[in-house]
Amino acid sequence: MSNFKSLPINADRICEAISKIGYNPSSAIMDIIDNSFMASAKNILIKIYLKEGMNINNIKNIEKIYVIDDGNGMDESGIKKALELGSDVKYGNNSLSKYGLGLKSAGFSLGKRIEVTSKIVDNAISEKYFLDRDLIKSSGEFGYGVESTDELVTSFLQEYASGTVISFHNLIYTSRISAQKLSEDLSNKAGVFYSEFLEKDGVSFKLQIFDSGNKEIRNKEISPKDLLFWSDALDSFEKEDYDCKKPCKVLDKDFENPIDPSGEKIKIQATIFPKDGMKNFVGFTDEERAKIKEYDVSLKNSGFYFYRNGRLIKWGEKLFLNREFGIRIKVSFQTEHDELFDVDVSKQHLTISEEVETTLNRLITVPRNQSKELFELCDLKIKDSKKHENEGAEFNNTNSALEEDEDESNPVNPEESKKRKELLENSSKDFEEESQPKYEDDESQDTFRRVRYWNGNRDRALWEAGYDTTEGTYVLIDKNHPYYDLVISKKEPESPYRQALEAIFHSLAVGQNQTIEKFYEAESELVLKIFKKFLRSTSHQLDNWVNNNWDLFDNEN
């Protein structure tokens, strides 16, 4: 007779533990999206809803998140199985799932409540099944609840023959970042993570942001992105003929599974890239420079990219590469190789076996040397060849998602803040025609122009604070002010020196707008007048300083 005895578990503490295994908001959402692709979905949507009175750059501004697909869907038993902890499901050889924890661990890292609604072909839309941390804690047991499906979720599924809606409420981690930051993370990563899936015909993946009134304010199509730029790359690296414009293919082969040499092989590909500085080389055309900029040659993008069953697990793993900026290596493995690549529950990290690491080190010895030779060729081309035209663009591209809120010790009056935001917006209309476009690229509208240069010269103010209801604060720096001529213009737009100055001006503008919006002890019009006087006085003082220090930078390069 067995003397095995079961022991009680604290269900809520288990839920807390699996929510802390290392997700960030974007990686948690992508863990949910894995299920959509495995369900053969052709249409995948992420819908992010803002809290009332918030713009997309406010922190703590997300009310709820929906992941919607038109995949195979689930019946009642399938939904219940999906909600189980460590659900007993046999995954296929090409599955993106592994442990049966993803929905619960990823979901609870996002919020305290997970809701699932689904339908299969020729069936009605299911009821809403949910996991709620508060109910689990109060009951002391792990279990689900069932409610009637609401109209919003029903509307999502009505246009599909089958599909699933998973939503997250009472947000936890996600509520500490902005909708803009989350959408930017997903936009930048998802196309790389799922490039092989998104390249298939008829697959659509969209990310949308809505205000609290259900008005759409963002709609972005996620496109596949191959960070090796395999289709752009030259077929080989020929040192004598290389012109420092394009990446080069330097490795493309399969290697044996060291545990099972007769089994499925592992694929490895590598490309080497020109130096990032070539994006400013005056001898190249605008189109060539733009393409080099698109390659985004940087330390974070260099290294190994490990794909399991077509899905990226690890981005830019360095292993033994150190600070080698110009090489990217893609390693593609399948389920049968899991013993060699130990993937964690969050699908963000893996531990590579010693046998595989030894093989990788051997295979990329020559490509590493070629990458160094390529960089040396770029150094020979780069001297005093930088070209800059669009001032502020480097700061804006680097800070496309920049939260503006401060920690508030005093309660916020939403109604009064709304009126004051309208005042700020109206006072900014004078700048709109003269400050050029709202976005760095008006077509994609990805990067808001927080820092702008203009020929103001109305009140001799060095900078002016502007406000946009959707995006938040921007600052205009006057190129006619002597301080711009003496100090700001001395450094090129992408230099840390210039960007640090721009950060100060943008912070001053944010501080001004935040004070006007939230300092309720004085009338908003009065606070606005005070700041206008402050700007004139400060700018005049800097004008005086310039007149007394005109020779300060005479010895600067």
Side-chain angles (χ1 to χ4, degrees):
M1 181 177 177
S2 172
N3 59 4
F4 175 82
K5 303 290 183 184
S6 64
L7 293 170
I9 64 169
N10 185 314
D12 182 60
R13 295 190 71 178
I14 294 294
C15 292
E16 178 71 11
I18 65 173
S19 75
K20 304 295 186 190
I21 60 176
Y23 287 107
N24 58 50
S26 59
S27 66
I29 291 173
M30 286 191 289
D31 204 335
I32 304 303
I33 293 168
D34 287 352
N35 300 323
S36 299
F37 283 114
M38 287 299 92
S40 302
K42 291 288 189 180
N43 292 282
I44 300 171
L45 289 87
I46 301 171
K47 294 179 181 282
I48 300 172
Y49 288 81
L50 301 182
K51 293 179 179 177
E52 186 174 357
M54 296 283 193
N55 69 49
I56 60 174
N57 284 303
N58 292 137
I59 58 172
K60 300 182 180 181
N61 66 349
I62 303 175
E63 180 69 28
K64 54 191 176 182
I65 301 170
Y66 290 85
V67 178
I68 305 153
D69 69 55
D70 66 346
N72 298 328
M74 297 177 285
D75 58 15
E76 180 180 329
S77 62
I79 297 174
K80 292 177 182 178
K81 180 68 68 176
L83 294 177
E84 291 178 5
L85 276 176
S87 49
D88 185 16
V89 177
K90 293 190 181 299
Y91 299 115
N93 286 336
N94 296 318
S95 175
L96 301 185
S97 300
K98 192 173 182 185
Y99 299 104
L101 289 173
L103 173 60
K104 287 72 63 177
S105 56
F108 282 142
S109 77
L110 290 167
K112 290 188 174 183
R113 183 179 171 101
I114 306 167
E115 297 179 357
V116 181
T117 306
S118 191
K119 76 170 180 176
I120 57 177
V121 175
D122 297 329
N123 278 49
I125 296 173
S126 74
E127 293 184 290
K128 181 199 303 175
Y129 289 73
F130 64 88
L131 300 175
D132 191 303
R133 285 282 304 277
D134 291 335
L135 292 178
I136 292 170
K137 184 175 183 178
S138 63
S139 67
E141 296 181 311
F142 184 81
Y144 66 89
V146 183
E147 293 177 348
S148 298
T149 303
D150 58 68
E151 291 183 6
L152 184 62
V153 171
T154 299
S155 69
F156 296 155
L157 287 174
Q158 275 179 335
E159 60 183 285
Y160 300 137
S162 60
T164 301
V165 177
I166 299 175
S167 58
F168 310 97
H169 308 260
N170 299 332
L171 301 187
I172 305 170
Y173 191 103
T174 307
S175 64
R176 295 204 295 269
I177 68 169
S178 69
Q180 172 69 359
K181 174 63 175 170
L182 176 56
S183 65
E184 183 184 68
D185 284 348
L186 287 167
S187 298
N188 290 338
K189 294 176 181 178
V192 179
F193 274 69
Y194 300 110
S195 58
E196 293 185 23
F197 296 93
L198 294 172
E199 285 169 355
K200 297 176 181 177
D201 290 340
V203 175
S204 173
F205 184 179
K206 292 182 179 180
L207 191 156
Q208 302 167 325
I209 301 177
F210 297 83
D211 65 16
S212 58
N214 205 29
K215 177 186 175 184
E216 182 183 284
I217 55 177
R218 278 286 187 279
N219 190 330
K220 183 174 180 63
E221 181 82 31
I222 307 298
S223 301
K225 184 172 184 179
D226 171 24
L227 280 187
L228 267 66
F229 290 88
W230 198 255
S231 61
D232 287 353
L234 301 174
D235 288 335
S236 62
F237 173 60
E238 305 295 338
K239 184 175 180 180
E240 295 77 12
D241 301 323
Y242 185 65
D243 59 7
C244 301
K245 294 178 181 179
K246 287 191 171 187
C248 303
K249 299 173 185 176
V250 289
L251 184 61
D252 184 14
K253 67 180 299 180
D254 299 330
F255 64 92
E256 290 182 347
N257 180 341
I259 296 177
D260 181 13
S262 64
E264 184 82 19
K265 291 185 177 182
I266 300 164
K267 189 170 187 61
I268 182 169
Q269 299 170 297
T271 49
I272 55 177
F273 290 80
K275 266 195 165 183
D276 186 59
M278 302 310 298
K279 69 187 179 185
N280 300 313
F281 187 67
V282 294
F284 293 165
T285 66
D286 289 343
E287 184 179 352
E288 289 167 341
R289 286 195 295 268
K291 195 64 182 178
I292 295 170
K293 183 176 182 180
E294 184 183 341
Y295 298 147
D296 193 11
V297 181
S298 59
L299 186 61
K300 73 179 175 66
N301 288 334
S302 67
F304 289 89
Y305 289 75
F306 290 97
Y307 281 80
R308 177 182 181 268
N309 295 332
R311 194 263 203 202
L312 181 65
I313 299 296
K314 186 63 179 177
W315 178 311
E317 177 64 54
K318 299 301 179 281
L319 292 181
F320 41 77
L321 289 178
N322 299 318
R323 295 178 61 82
E324 297 176 34
F325 286 64
I327 186 168
R328 297 175 192 171
I329 308 105
K330 180 179 180 180
V331 179
S332 303
F333 65 95
Q334 309 301 320
T335 302
E336 66 178 84
H337 303 123
D338 280 351
E339 289 184 59
L340 300 169
F341 304 89
D342 186 13
V343 180
D344 75 339
V345 176
S346 69
K347 300 179 217 172
Q348 297 179 89
H349 307 285
L350 76 172
T351 303
I352 301 160
S353 70
E354 185 177 341
E355 298 93 334
V356 170
E357 185 166 341
T358 299
T359 301
L360 294 177
N361 201 346
R362 173 177 56 82
L363 288 173
I364 70 163
T365 298
V366 172
R368 290 174 73 184
N369 290 331
Q370 290 176 308
S371 178
K372 292 175 183 176
E373 289 180 329
L374 189 154
F375 264 37
E376 289 171 359
L377 291 175
C378 293
D379 285 335
L380 292 175
K381 273 188 175 288
I382 298 174
K383 292 182 180 178
D384 296 323
S385 56
K386 293 184 178 180
K387 180 180 180 181
H388 306 284
E389 296 175 350
N390 191 6
E391 292 181 294
E394 195 72 23
F395 179 92
N396 296 331
N397 288 321
T398 304
N399 299 279
S400 58
L402 190 62
E403 291 84 4
E404 296 182 3
D405 286 6
E406 58 184 319
D407 291 331
E408 291 292 343
S409 55
N410 297 320
V412 174
N413 183 332
E415 194 62 36
E416 180 62 23
S417 289
K418 181 179 179 181
K419 292 179 183 177
R420 293 180 177 225
K421 286 178 180 178
E422 292 173 352
L423 173 67
L424 288 172
E425 187 176 27
N426 289 332
S427 68
S428 302
K429 287 182 178 178
D430 291 343
F431 310 142
E432 289 179 0
E433 290 185 4
E434 299 181 70
S435 61
Q436 302 173 355
K438 179 175 175 179
Y439 297 96
E440 289 295 339
D441 184 337
D442 273 341
E443 184 174 344
S444 66
Q445 297 191 357
D446 282 339
T447 304
F448 180 58
R449 297 180 67 239
R450 303 179 190 284
V451 172
R452 310 177 188 183
Y453 288 80
W454 71 324
N455 298 308
N457 203 27
R458 294 179 309 156
D459 298 317
R460 300 287 292 177
L462 173 58
W463 79 95
E464 297 272 8
Y467 184 79
D468 180 88
T469 303
T470 301
E471 299 282 2
T473 296
Y474 60 92
V475 65
L476 299 105
I477 300 171
D478 187 1
K479 296 171 72 170
N480 287 323
H481 193 281
Y483 188 86
Y484 169 85
D485 193 31
L486 178 67
V487 180
I488 300 174
S489 67
K490 294 294 183 183
K491 296 296 181 180
E492 291 169 332
E494 85 286 356
S495 71
Y497 175 100
R498 172 75 79 97
Q499 292 184 66
L501 285 173
E502 289 167 344
I504 292 173
F505 288 120
H506 182 259
S507 298
L508 287 168
V510 170
Q512 174 178 327
N513 285 345
Q514 289 279 319
T515 304
I516 294 170
E517 178 190 343
K518 298 176 182 178
F519 187 72
Y520 305 130
E521 286 83 351
E523 291 293 328
S524 54
E525 289 84 357
L526 176 60
V527 183
L528 185 60
K529 288 180 180 179
I530 291 171
F531 271 108
K532 286 186 178 297
K533 172 61 178 173
F534 170 80
L535 285 174
R536 288 195 299 272
S537 297
T538 308
S539 299
H540 180 70
Q541 183 61 29
L542 283 170
D543 195 345
N544 291 337
W545 178 83
V546 168
N547 290 331
N548 289 314
N549 294 275
W550 197 259
D551 60 347
L552 191 62
F553 294 107
D554 280 354
N555 295 323
E556 289 282 310
N557 292 326

